[in-house]
Amino acid sequence: MKIVKEFREFAMRGNVIDLAVGVIIGGAFGKIVTSLVNDIIMPPIGRLLGGINFRDLKIALVDVSTFDTTKGEIPYIKYGQFINTLLDFLIVAFCIFLLVKGINTLRRLKEKEEPKAEAAPTEKDCPYCLSKVPIKASRCKHCTSQLEETPANA
C-alpha cells in the first residue's frame, strides 16, 4: 500500500500533470502540422512541379518488371514521404523556436520591470581608523576600538 501512496503523490505533482498535458497537446499539434503539410502545403507545391504527389515519390530497389510479387511487396525508398516528414519537422521546430523566443522575451521584460532588491550591507566603517569591519563586529579588527551598537546587531 505504501508504494501505491507514493505513486499517487508522484502522479499528482504539478510537474507530472503539466508534462502529461504538454505531451497530449504536442501530439495534437503534431497531427495538425502533418495535416497542414500533407493537405495544404504539398498539393500546391506538387501542382507547381507538374502535378507531382509527393507521397507517391519513390525509388524501387529491385527491377519492378521482373520482381515476383508472390515473394512479397516491392521494396522502395519512399523519399517523397521523407520530404513530407522533413517538412513536418521543420514547421514544428520553427513553432517551438518562436514559442521559446517569445517566452525568453517575456522573461527579459519581467526582469526589467522588477527592480532587484539591494543587498543589505555586510560591512561598516570603523570611526577611528576608517577600516572596513563586519557589520556585527563590536570591536575593530584593526585598531581594536570599541564600536557603537548598530541596528543590525541590536
Side-chain angles (χ1 to χ4, degrees):
M1 291 317 254
K2 181 180 177 185
I3 196 160
V4 173
K5 181 182 176 191
E6 286 179 27
F7 178 74
R8 189 179 317 124
E9 288 174 7
F10 168 76
M12 291 302 139
R13 276 192 200 143
N15 293 345
V16 174
I17 294 172
D18 291 344
L19 179 63
V21 169
V23 167
I24 292 168
I25 289 175
F29 182 71
K31 289 179 182 180
I32 291 170
V33 170
T34 300
S35 176
L36 173 72
V37 170
N38 292 337
D39 303 329
I40 296 175
I41 294 176
M42 295 312 279
I45 292 174
R47 176 89 173 152
L48 289 173
L49 297 175
I52 298 171
N53 183 352
F54 278 84
R55 282 185 232 156
D56 296 338
L57 294 177
K58 56 191 171 190
I59 299 173
L61 296 176
V62 295
D63 185 7
V64 178
S65 61
T66 60
F67 186 77
D68 184 9
T69 55
T70 60
K71 293 182 180 178
E73 291 185 22
I74 299 172
Y76 289 104
I77 294 176
K78 298 178 181 181
Y79 68 93
Q81 187 61 39
F82 176 74
I83 292 171
N84 282 356
T85 304
L86 185 63
L87 223 67
D88 279 358
F89 169 76
L90 291 174
I91 291 172
V92 169
F94 184 69
C95 290
I96 290 172
F97 166 76
L98 291 177
L99 182 69
V100 170
K101 185 174 173 62
I103 289 170
N104 288 340
T105 302
L106 289 175
R107 277 191 189 144
R108 274 186 248 124
L109 288 174
K110 185 178 177 184
E111 287 173 3
K112 285 181 183 177
E113 289 176 1
E114 296 175 1
K116 295 185 179 185
E118 292 185 29
T122 59
E123 295 181 324
K124 61 183 175 181
D125 292 328
C126 171
Y128 303 103
C129 70
L130 303 177
S131 309
K132 295 279 185 197
V133 292
I135 196 89
K136 292 185 177 184
S138 57
R139 283 197 180 269
C140 177
K141 64 181 176 181
H142 301 284
C143 68
T144 67
S145 299
Q146 185 74 32
L147 302 175
E148 296 177 17
E149 289 288 320
T150 57
N153 46 342

